[in-house]
Amino acid sequence: QVQLVQSGAEVKKPGAPVKISCKTSGYTFTRHYMNWVRQAPGQGPEWMGVIDPSGGRTKYAQKFQGSITMTSDSSTSTFYLELSGLSAEDTAIYFCARRKDGSNYFDYWGQGTLVTVSS
Amino acid sequence: EIVMTQSPATLSVSPGESATLSCRASQSINTNVAWYQQKPGQAPSLIIYGASSRASGIPARFSGSGSGTEFSLTISSLQSEDFAVYYCLQVITWPYTFGQGTKLEIK
């Protein structure tokens, strides 16, 4: 069965970077793009961007251009989201969400990674 | 950026009754909309995609409709497990955008 397992919670100081992982299993890694979505406390989800694992091509929401990097590693079937220059406003749960075959919808989600930014 | 506006923010309904949630897009998105259910402490879960297609394993009491800018999700004969927050999502153009959610609560 399809599984997306994310890395554990992180606590970071303002200005620090963080790298979150999303390890996949149960499907062909290169067949499905992976999206990253974040959800601040009490807020709706927010799409951050998407990566094509077959070539590494990415598309980021303009809001996050320059502050995020999405990568993938086919040898371990793992996706990564790196955020730089964290601020308190980046405190949120970060989800990876697989693109559904033949569409742009998100069918499987990771369990989420809480990133807390606090001095 | 396409803005997705959901209404109402909170909907109180008794078990066994029906509920209709609305989502409006700031410009036409044809039928490129999905609905997600989110329970506390969990990731969102796909309910409806393509405006009206049920995702795998979703019971028939969930139905979606609409096209262009107006969409709705109807849940008939509400069960206890249906009380959650529901989000709509447009995927016609980047950046993909979610609505702010409708909390469906027990009356």
Side-chain angles (χ1 to χ4, degrees), chain A residues 33 35 37 39 42-48 50 59-62 95 99-100 103-107 109-112, chain B residues 31-34 36 38 41-46 48-51 87 89 91-92 94-101:
Chain A
Y33 291 19
N35 298 270
V37 174
Q39 189 168 28
Q43 303 297 312
E46 180 178 29
W47 180 78
M48 302 178 72
V50 62
K59 177 66 178 181
Y60 302 147
Q62 187 171 9
F95 296 98
R99 191 178 86 163
K100 179 177 169 57
S103 76
N104 291 328
Y105 302 107
F106 315 156
D107 57 358
W109 295 60
Q111 84 277 19
Chain B
T31 57
N32 292 280
V33 69
Y36 289 84
Q38 188 175 33
Q42 297 184 16
S45 176
L46 181 63
I48 297 286
Y49 65 95
Y87 295 99
L89 164 69
V91 297
I92 195 172
W94 293 315
Y96 300 149
T97 46
F98 291 85
Q100 279 303 103

Side-chain angles (χ1 to χ4, degrees), chain B residues 2-23:
Chain B
I2 296 175
V3 177
M4 304 295 282
T5 303
Q6 292 186 241
S7 61
T10 304
L11 186 59
S12 299
V13 183
S14 300
E17 296 185 340
S18 294
T20 298
L21 290 64
S22 297
C23 178

